[in-house]
Structures are given as C-alpha cells and as structure tokens.
Amino acid sequence: MSENRRAFPYIPSTAPGMKEKLLNEVGLSSVEDIYQEIPERLRFEGRLNIPEPIESEYQLKRHVRNILSNNESTDEYVSFLGGGTWKHYVPSVCDTIASQDEFLTAYVGDAYADKGKFHALFESCSMIGDLVEMDVVTTPTYDWANAVAFSCGMAERITGRKEIILPKNMSPRRLEVVKNYAKKGLTIKYIDFDPKTGLLDLDSLEQQLSSNTAAVYFENPTYMGVIEVQGQKISDLAHNVGAEVIVGVDPSSLGVIAPPSRYGADIVCGDLQPLGMHMEWGGGLAGFIASRDEEKYVSEYPTLLFGVTTTQREGEYGFGHVAFERTSYAHREEGKDYIGTTTALYGIVAGVYLALMGPKGMKELGTGIMERVHYATQKLNEIDKVKVPRLNGEPFKEFIVDFNDTGKTVSEINKQLRKRGIFGGHDLSEEFPSMKNCALYCITEIHSKQDIDYLVHSIADIVEEK
C-alpha cells in the first residue's frame, strides 16, 4: 500500500502533517503498519480499477447528484408499493430534530458522547410502550427482521426449547433473516394460512405445537395485508404448551387495531419506519422489541435498554443503561446476540413523530388509511377481470389484486403503470406460488382520492389494451 500525500478537504485528518502527528501519537511510522497483522496472501496487489478521486467538494456533490438523478423515486412517482417499507407522510419537524448536531449519528452515544440521546431514547421507548401497551421497549434494532430474530432467541433462552413456529404468510425477507439466525441451533416449523381469508390455519398450528415449542410468531396485520382476528386463540394454543407468543406489528395500525398485549402476546416487535422515516434505498428501517417488565424477559434482551433514576442532586433525574451486563457490549463474543451500532437516530425520530401525533392522531391516521383502502378496493373491483381483494379477510393498508383473468402479467401491468408515473403493487408471483400473477398494493394517508382514481383508470386502460 503506497503512502498517499494528498489531502481531501471534505475528509478529516487527511493532511500529511496531521496523519504523521496521529501516527506518531500511536507509535507507528506509516499507515502500512496498521495493516501488518493482515497476511500478505489476503492483501490486494496492484491498483484497484476505480476512478481518480474528485478533490473538489462541490464537484463531488455534483457528480453524485448526477448519478442519483438516474433513480426513479416516490417523490416523482405515485407509489402503491409496500411489503415492508411504506410511503407515509413525514412531518418537517421530524427531519429538523433528526438533523440536530447532538443527534445526527446512528450511534447510541454514551457518557463520553451523549448530548441528550439517552433522555430522547427513553422518551421514545416510553411512547412506543404506550402504543403497544408493554412496559419494556428496546432501543432500535436494525429492522423488523432483526427484531423477530432477536425475539425468537429470547424465547429460546427463556423456555430452554429449540423449536420456533412461523407463519407461511410472513414477509419472505423477514423469514430469510430469521432462518439465518436459526442456524445456531433453532428448528423452524411452519403454519399454513387459509387461501381464502389469509388468516392462519389453527388446525395447522395445533399440529405443529409440542412440548419442544419455544415460541409461536405471527404478524398482525399480515404481510398480505389482512388483519389477523384470531390473535387470542393463537395465543391460547401456544400458552397451553408453555410456548411464548411473539407478535409482529405495523405501529401505524395501532390507533385502530388492539395492541397484541390485549390478545396474549408475550413479546411484541415491529418496524418504526411508518413513524416519521422516509423510504430509502435499502434503509429507513428500525426495529423494536417490547415485553412486560418481568425479569425473565428483561434479562434476555440482547439490546440496550434505558431507564430513569435519581441523581446525587435532590429533585434531579438522569438516564442510563438498565442491566448493561446482559449485552454484547459487556460480554463481547460471549454475548447472547451481537447488536453493534444500529439505528438510534431513527428511534429518536419515532419519538418525535409519536409526540406530534398523540393517541388521537394515531387513531385518525389508522382510520384515514382504512377508509382509503375501502374506497380503492371498491373501485378496483369494478374493473372487468380484476379481482380485488384476492383475500376476503379485512385489510388494513395493504391488499392483494388478482390479475389472472386479464391475460396480462403483473410485470407487464407494472411496466405500463411506470410509463404513467405510477409504481404499481409488489409482484407476489415468485414469493408465494398460490399468489401467481397477484400484486400487493399499499394505500396510506398520503394517497388522495385523485391518486386512487388515477390508479384505477390507468389499470382499467392497461387491462383493456390489446
């Protein structure tokens, strides 16, 4: 590796004098010394085939913007995509708070760096706890999938059992993550769902349950958009064999749908993305886990928990770690699960969003979404040869459109919709063979009547085209 004497004004500590000072401070003679433990056989010889560096910050920004201009985003298109990341309205104050210098990092922060993060995250977790009606809420995980996997690990350690039961109608991407975590010794079994209603098949669940079951996980609303109305029955069946019940939720639904704690959930998880986070290319996600304030649950959280306590000064309160010794920060490679630095900034944003909305706002949000979905499904179902919804269970903000009788594939229809400035629904054909040529459509509070009417008219025109 050759020594680079060039300095980049937009990258700190690249001036040769500064680099030499830093190297001297740690007792090294060159940058090469930092990598001396890496065997020669693993080092790349030669020069990478990459462009020369752009030294001007302005020119670099311009270059990146030109690349990004090739993207087609939900800012220019009307999007009806969902499936795990949804287009919701983000109040301006969420972006304002997120851009504050004392918060603007994904890092959680600690005593040496904290500028109110502990306090902000404690308040955010408290509001999420109110929403799901649970006592303990973790700081954010990477995403919903990560939260499900951690929750399954918690159930394994709590029960001492090795089998996890998952629904076949869960998000395929979340399933892949859980399967990856399960490689450390968990066995996964699956529950069927009713192809007509989209609800879980309780007979299938009873067949899979046993004294080896650590937990039953299901989602409400389901990945296919249906509200699971059998929550209490599912929980009762699981508890009868001593298993934990884990429920994954979309928090934007909890203003109109009862929280899982009311129908038997022991652990609740989900994604904070609907609560003030923009859709991003592979980002904008932050998972959460919640439970009752019982030692058997608290002691098995692998993630950071923040609490409030008194200080040496009378009447003053401080915020800090709760049972820090549980975490991988304390146990390192011996930790229950590795967490690392994740999405604390999004956790703060979720708190800002919930503080703005309040209980009334969350109820209005959920009601507005369901009203729009009802209108959209009604109008789409009027199109000849289009079946909506494909499942007759009650939807929340997503529903399946069946295009099998149109003579056109979902891919063909979506291609034509893009020409009209619309992102059509997510194609389910490959994920679920029983949903061949069906698409998952999403409606949120950002969709106007005009948006929905434009979608309906566009699909009608495309279907009628020869």
Side-chain angles (χ1 to χ4, degrees), residues 21-41:
K21 184 177 179 180
L22 291 169
L23 288 168
N24 290 335
E25 185 68 25
V26 295
L28 300 175
S29 59
S30 72
V31 174
E32 183 69 22
D33 292 341
I34 298 172
Y35 308 104
Q36 62 183 348
E37 293 184 1
I38 301 175
E40 289 292 336
R41 62 185 175 80

Side-chain angles (χ1 to χ4, degrees), residues 80-91:
F80 294 93
L81 282 168
T85 307
W86 309 274
K87 180 74 170 179
H88 284 277
Y89 176 67
V90 177

Side-chain angles (χ1 to χ4, degrees), residues 166-171 175 190-193 200 204 224 432:
L166 304 177
K168 288 185 179 179
N169 62 356
M170 75 179 287
S171 161
L175 175 59
Y190 298 96
I191 323 167
D192 292 325
F193 63 92
L200 290 185
S204 174
M224 296 178 179
F432 298 95

Side-chain angles (χ1 to χ4, degrees), residues 312-330:
Q312 293 178 332
R313 182 180 299 174
E314 186 176 352
E316 183 180 68
Y317 294 89
F319 302 86
H321 293 292
V322 173
F324 182 75
E325 68 280 358
R326 303 167 289 103
T327 69
S328 61
Y329 289 109

